[in-house]
């Protein structure tokens, strides 16, 4: 099976001239469909930068990054938007829209494609929220939910569009051990059911066992695969 | 994606975000409402001023009008010789010429004895140069010595003349000269004069003993039926001295209106007030939208990260601006209607709420909110999805 994410000698640096600060150096990695890959490493090792480039949120200039067969290095905005729409994101903070209910937040993902009716969107969002165990919290606003519940809403938001890839950045950072493990387990279970690839950045060693593969990044270089 | 969805989804998000923070929404609505009322009042006063300024001219009944070229407006005329008006009789189309004398004079309130200045019109009672029925009905009475007709649209400071006349108390002084008020007419006050009386030219000379019958303020020309007003106007312009204007009825009204709009600072003042209302509203709406975008930066960046395009957020901001415009305009318009009625009853100025004015002000408010939205969307660039991880 070909790689769904294919990174070849990717280099990235912040700043310019004498202040240039390399973040990623010749990173090469291939991730297959359905794989769950954890990227660990100390802060400042470039994990998050790596994730933002894969997700089409940051522009890279050297090397090659092919995500879903789209070249993201030196790409234009339209290519990146197209890639973003096929990726589910889970952020360190939940980043839910605080004026919307859980249900409305989740269906925001479906409003983009607009292939469904309002009824279908709400049904699918409700199903997804039920799948993450929030079937009884559909009409709660984020500030009426606990931190763990919010993160589960954001998992539902990431998965409801049936993305091929889910990118997660420290999804357990703001959660206690139990709700963190719960959230990641739900993520893993739902992803395995739909053959979704997950790229998860963390330095939470409690959740390493959900991974098919652990990659350690240090000073912009992959240390162990 | 259909056009309806193209706007519906961002508009729905904008609406949900607006109603989420009720306090801020109410503050924003008050901002727009304030601008709306300010603009309505400025336009209302301005139009009332124009309407009342020409209220006397509007009721003149003639085909052509002579006015000295140095006259800025009817209420502050420069006198010219009556013989100049008489020369117009040489034109075969002219049926008759009638002088009008104007003078500002203090009028003694019958009850309180205080004096207040009003405008006195002197004319030949037989001439019918006013298209006001009550004047025509009482023209016989005006021919008597020391009689006047009082304009009941005059400000109440002149006294409750209707009740006083019914009680038989009709003797007072104008310019310290004793006269009798023999009836009421409806003419209309302006910013120039708080009240009006009309009288015969003979009585006018008695009230203003220093005035000369040979020096007139306005000349009114009536033509034979069927005569061409335009042609006669052109002929009179050639024939008469160059120091007089020969106006048609419409030109006279326009001349009066222009005086208030351009010569007097009043047109400018109201225009300036209108612009200030626009600017104040703009700043308020801009502040609201700007802080909204700043506060929601993370949410917008999140939506960008999951694939929403920049255009979506621009539509969200403009939808918010549109909702604020409508939500502020509706109560603002209702309040303005109330204030117009209040102004009509308190300062006796005609302030009708016309559909034209409603549409104008709504367009004004809409442009204000759109401009605010336009300024605020620059802040959207600060929402960078790369910062979300």
């Amino acid at each position: 099976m070909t790689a769904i994410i294919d990174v070849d000698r990717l280099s990235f640096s912040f700043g310019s001239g004498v202040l240039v600060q390399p973040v990623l150096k010749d990173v090469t990695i291939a991730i297959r469909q359905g794989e769950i890959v954890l990227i660990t490493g100390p802060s400042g090792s470039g994990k998050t930068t790596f994730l933002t480039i894969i997700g089409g949120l940051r522009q890279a200039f050297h090397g090659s990054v092919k995500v879903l067969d789209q070249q993201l290095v030196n790409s234009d905005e339209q290519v990146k938007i197209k890639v973003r729409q096929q990726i589910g994101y889970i952020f360190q903070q939940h980043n839910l829209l605080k004026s919307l209910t859980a249900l409305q937040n989740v269906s925001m993902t479906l409003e983009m494609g607009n292939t469904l009716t309002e009824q279908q969107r709400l049904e699918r969002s409700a199903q997804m929220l039920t799948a993450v165990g929030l079937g009884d919290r559909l009409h709660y606003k984020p500030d009426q939910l606990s931190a763990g519940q919010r993160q589960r809403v954001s998992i539902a938001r990431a998965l409801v569009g049936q993305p091929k890839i889910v990118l997660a950045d420290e999804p357990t950072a703001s959660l206690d051990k139990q709700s963190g493990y719960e959230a990641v387990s739900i993520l893993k279970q739902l992803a395995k059911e739909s053959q979704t690839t997950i790229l998860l950045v963390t330095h939470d060693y409690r959740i390493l066992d959900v991974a098919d593969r652990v990659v350690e990044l240090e000073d912009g270089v992959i240390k162990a695969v | 994606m259909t056009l309806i969805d193209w706007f519906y989804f961002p508009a729905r998000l904008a609406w949900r975000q607006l109603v989420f923070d009720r306090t801020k929404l109410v503050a924003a609505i008050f901002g727009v409402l304030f601008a709306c009322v300010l603009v309505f009042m400025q336009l209302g006063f301005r139009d009332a001023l124009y309407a009342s300024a020409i209220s006397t001219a509007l009721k003149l009944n003639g085909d052509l009008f002579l006015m000295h070229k140095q006259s800025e407006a009817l209420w502050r005329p420069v006198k010219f010789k009556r013989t100049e008006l008489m020369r117009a009789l040489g034109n075969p189309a002219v049926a008759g010429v009638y002088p009008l004398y104007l003078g500002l004079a203090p009028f003694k309130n019958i009850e309180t004895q205080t004096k207040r200045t009003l405008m006195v019109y002197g004319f030949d009672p037989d001439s019918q140069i006013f298209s006001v029925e009550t004047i025509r009905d009482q023209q016989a009475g005006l021919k008597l010595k020391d009689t006047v007709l009082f304009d009941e649209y005059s400000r109440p400071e002149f006294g409750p003349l209707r009740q006083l006349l019914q009680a038989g108390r009709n003797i007072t002084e104008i310019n310290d000269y004793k006269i009798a008020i023999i009836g009421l007419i409806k003419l209309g006050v302006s910013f120039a004069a708080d009240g009006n009386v009309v009288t015969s030219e003979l009585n006018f000379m008695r009230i203003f003993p220093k005035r000369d019958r040979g020096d007139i303020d306005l000349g009114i020309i009536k033509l034979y039926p069927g005569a061409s007003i335009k042609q006669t106007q052109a002929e009179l312009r050639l024939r008469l001295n160059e120091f007089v204007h020969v106006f048609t009825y419409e030109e006279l009204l326009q001349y009066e209106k222009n005086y208030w709009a351009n010569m007097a600072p009043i047109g400018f003042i109201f225009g300036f007030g209108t612009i200030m209302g626009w600017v104040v509203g703009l700043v308020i709406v801009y502040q609201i939208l700007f802080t909204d975008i700043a506060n929601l930066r993370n949410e917008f960046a999140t939506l960008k990260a999951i694939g929403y395009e920049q255009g979506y957020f621009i539509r969200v901001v403009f939808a918010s601006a549109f909702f604020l415009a409508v939500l502020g305009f509706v109560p603002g318009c209702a309040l303005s209607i109330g204030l117009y009625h209040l102004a009509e009853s308190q300062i006796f100025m005609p302030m009708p709420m016309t559909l034209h004015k409603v549409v104008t002000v709504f367009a004004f408010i809409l442009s204000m909110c759109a401009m605010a939205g336009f300024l605020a969307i620059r802040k959207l660039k600060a929402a960078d999805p790369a910062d979300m991880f």
Side-chain angles (χ1 to χ4, degrees):
Chain A
M1 196 184 289
T2 55
I4 197 161
I5 300 174
D6 189 1
V7 181
D8 189 22
R9 279 170 292 143
L10 167 69
S11 296
F12 186 83
S13 44
F14 284 117
S16 59
V18 292
L19 293 172
V20 72
Q21 193 192 354
V23 182
L24 298 171
K25 299 164 196 160
D26 281 341
V27 174
T28 299
I29 188 171
I31 299 169
R32 291 187 311 278
Q33 188 177 356
E35 228 183 340
I36 298 183
V37 177
L38 255 66
I39 303 177
T40 63
S43 342
S45 59
K47 330 185 272 298
T48 297
T49 308
F50 182 63
L51 208 61
T52 54
I53 291 170
I54 301 290
L57 306 180
R58 204 182 283 284
Q59 181 74 65
F61 302 100
H62 304 287
S64 159
V65 176
K66 276 193 178 161
V67 176
L68 300 165
D69 294 328
Q70 298 280 345
Q71 177 58 261
L72 286 177
V73 173
N74 291 315
S75 61
D76 64 21
E77 184 73 9
Q78 283 309 315
V79 171
K80 280 186 282 185
I81 286 175
K82 217 177 138 197
V83 168
R84 285 178 205 166
Q85 287 174 348
Q86 299 177 67
I87 293 179
Y89 291 88
I90 300 166
F91 306 93
Q92 190 166 352
Q93 268 80 43
H94 56 84
N95 282 336
L96 298 173
L97 275 60
K98 63 177 187 294
S99 54
L100 305 188
T101 64
L103 189 63
Q104 288 165 348
N105 260 295
V106 174
S107 61
M108 282 299 287
T109 305
L110 299 173
E111 277 180 19
M112 262 182 304
N114 195 40
T115 47
L116 306 169
T117 65
E118 176 79 5
Q119 185 77 23
Q120 289 169 324
R121 274 196 297 272
L122 292 177
E123 262 170 26
R124 273 177 60 174
S125 303
Q127 277 167 11
M128 190 49 76
L129 279 166
T130 311
V132 298
L134 291 174
D136 56 343
R137 294 283 191 276
L138 297 183
H139 302 294
Y140 284 51
K141 297 248 167 90
D143 53 9
Q144 297 165 310
L145 298 169
S146 72
Q149 287 170 333
R150 282 179 220 158
Q151 198 56 291
R152 279 189 273 158
V153 175
S154 96
I155 289 170
R157 179 175 64 181
L159 294 177
V160 73
Q162 295 170 335
K164 299 199 174 65
I165 302 171
V166 171
L167 301 179
D169 184 33
E170 313 247 4
T172 58
S174 57
L175 305 180
D176 58 52
K177 183 184 174 186
Q178 200 206 333
S179 45
Y181 195 81
E182 250 173 43
V184 177
S185 304
I186 290 169
L187 181 59
K188 178 181 176 176
Q189 179 206 336
L190 294 172
K192 282 293 173 195
E193 282 168 14
S194 55
Q195 279 285 293
T196 306
T197 310
I198 297 182
L199 192 57
L200 200 153
V201 163
T202 188
H203 44 236
D204 183 352
Y205 290 96
R206 299 170 302 196
I207 61 170
L208 289 184
D209 62 320
V210 302
D212 299 328
R213 180 152 57 123
V214 177
V215 174
E216 199 177 338
L217 204 62
E218 198 173 315
D219 290 336
V221 179
I222 291 183
K223 264 183 71 183
V225 179
Chain B
M1 183 176 281
T2 66
L3 191 65
I4 294 171
D5 291 337
W6 184 81
F7 189 73
Y8 174 70
F9 287 132
R12 187 171 66 172
L13 179 65
W15 178 256
R16 284 170 176 171
Q17 285 176 336
L18 276 180
V19 298
F20 179 66
D21 190 344
R22 295 291 161 90
T23 325
K24 200 161 63 191
L25 178 63
V26 169
I29 288 173
F30 268 102
V32 178
L33 187 149
F34 172 78
C36 186
V37 170
L38 199 56
V39 171
F40 260 122
M41 293 320 284
Q42 296 290 338
L43 290 182
F45 284 135
R46 192 197 63 186
D47 289 356
L49 172 91
Y50 292 160
S52 68
I54 61 166
S55 60
T56 305
L58 200 62
K59 281 163 184 144
L60 287 173
N61 177 26
D63 298 311
L64 289 170
F65 299 87
L66 297 191
M67 187 193 255
H68 198 290
K69 277 190 175 163
Q70 288 172 359
S71 293
E72 277 190 304
L74 201 53
W75 74 276
R76 55 192 320 179
V78 174
K79 292 182 278 291
F80 61 99
K81 290 293 174 196
R82 188 183 179 119
T83 50
E84 196 60 35
L85 174 64
M86 293 306 167
R87 288 177 62 197
L89 281 171
N91 190 298
V94 173
V97 296
Y98 310 95
L100 182 66
Y101 302 89
L102 284 89
L104 288 165
F107 174 95
K108 193 162 86 178
N109 185 320
I110 297 174
E111 273 191 328
T112 63
Q113 312 289 314
T114 53
K115 286 179 176 176
R116 195 178 175 95
T117 302
L118 50 52
M119 182 66 82
V120 184
Y121 294 91
F123 72 110
D124 174 3
D126 285 331
S127 66
Q128 301 198 344
I129 57 168
F130 283 103
S131 53
V132 179
E133 270 180 39
T134 41
I135 295 182
R136 264 178 258 158
D137 295 345
Q138 299 176 85
Q139 67 187 58
L142 275 187
K143 288 178 190 165
L144 299 177
K145 187 170 180 283
D146 302 339
T147 55
V148 301
L149 296 171
F150 184 84
D151 179 7
E152 62 177 330
Y153 286 153
S154 302
R155 287 190 57 86
E157 283 82 354
F158 292 102
L161 267 298
R162 182 168 281 274
Q163 286 91 312
L164 289 170
L165 292 190
Q166 276 164 3
R169 298 173 60 192
N170 69 336
I171 308 297
T172 185
E173 289 171 13
I174 297 176
N175 215 14
D176 298 328
Y177 182 80
K178 198 166 100 180
I179 51 91
I181 299 166
I182 57 163
L184 296 173
I185 55 167
K186 288 174 178 170
L187 211 52
V189 297
S190 72
F191 278 60
D194 292 338
N196 301 303
V197 295
V198 300
T199 186
S200 70
E201 49 186 333
L202 285 172
N203 286 331
F204 184 91
M205 295 308 151
R206 291 183 184 114
I207 293 168
F208 299 97
K210 287 178 184 157
R211 285 292 296 261
D212 185 340
R213 275 193 77 185
D215 292 328
I216 68 171
D217 296 300
L218 186 77
I220 294 152
I221 299 172
K222 289 192 185 182
L223 304 184
Y224 284 112
S228 161
I229 292 176
K230 280 282 162 204
Q231 195 194 328
T232 315
Q233 182 188 26
E235 286 169 13
L236 287 180
R237 271 186 184 152
L238 286 174
R239 188 180 180 87
L240 297 181
N241 256 321
E242 60 182 354
F243 63 77
V244 290
H245 280 300
V246 184
F247 285 138
T248 63
Y249 180 69
E250 286 75 22
E251 283 168 354
L252 179 71
L253 294 187
Q254 196 55 47
Y255 190 78
E256 284 290 287
K257 209 168 167 174
N258 282 348
Y259 168 76
W260 293 103
N262 304 324
M263 306 287 280
I266 289 158
F268 172 78
I269 288 168
F270 286 111
F272 189 73
T274 308
I275 298 296
M276 286 317 288
W278 193 82
V279 171
V280 169
L282 173 77
V283 170
I284 294 172
V285 176
Y286 169 71
Q287 279 294 335
I288 298 277
L289 292 176
F290 183 87
T291 49
D292 247 3
I293 295 174
N295 292 339
L296 297 173
R297 207 177 65 230
N298 282 344
E299 297 192 357
F300 286 156
T302 304
L303 292 176
K304 263 190 204 172
I306 67 176
Y308 279 91
E309 291 172 65
Q310 180 76 2
Y312 179 87
F313 306 103
I314 292 173
R315 296 197 289 279
V316 170
V317 172
F318 276 108
S320 301
F322 177 76
F323 288 136
L324 290 181
V326 173
L327 290 176
F329 178 79
V330 171
C333 186
L335 184 60
S336 299
I337 289 173
L339 287 172
Y340 275 24
H341 283 299
L342 190 71
E344 276 184 335
S345 64
Q346 291 303 307
I347 57 175
F348 302 93
M349 299 238 298
M351 289 183 75
M353 180 64 83
T354 59
L355 182 66
H356 177 253
K357 209 174 283 173
V358 171
V359 172
T360 305
V361 176
F362 184 65
F364 207 71
I365 295 296
L366 211 54
S367 77
M368 177 188 92
C369 288
M371 187 66 197
F374 192 73
L375 292 174
I377 55 173
R378 293 176 311 156
K379 183 74 185 166
L380 276 176
K381 295 210 171 69
D384 182 359
D387 296 338
M388 291 324 299
F389 279 115

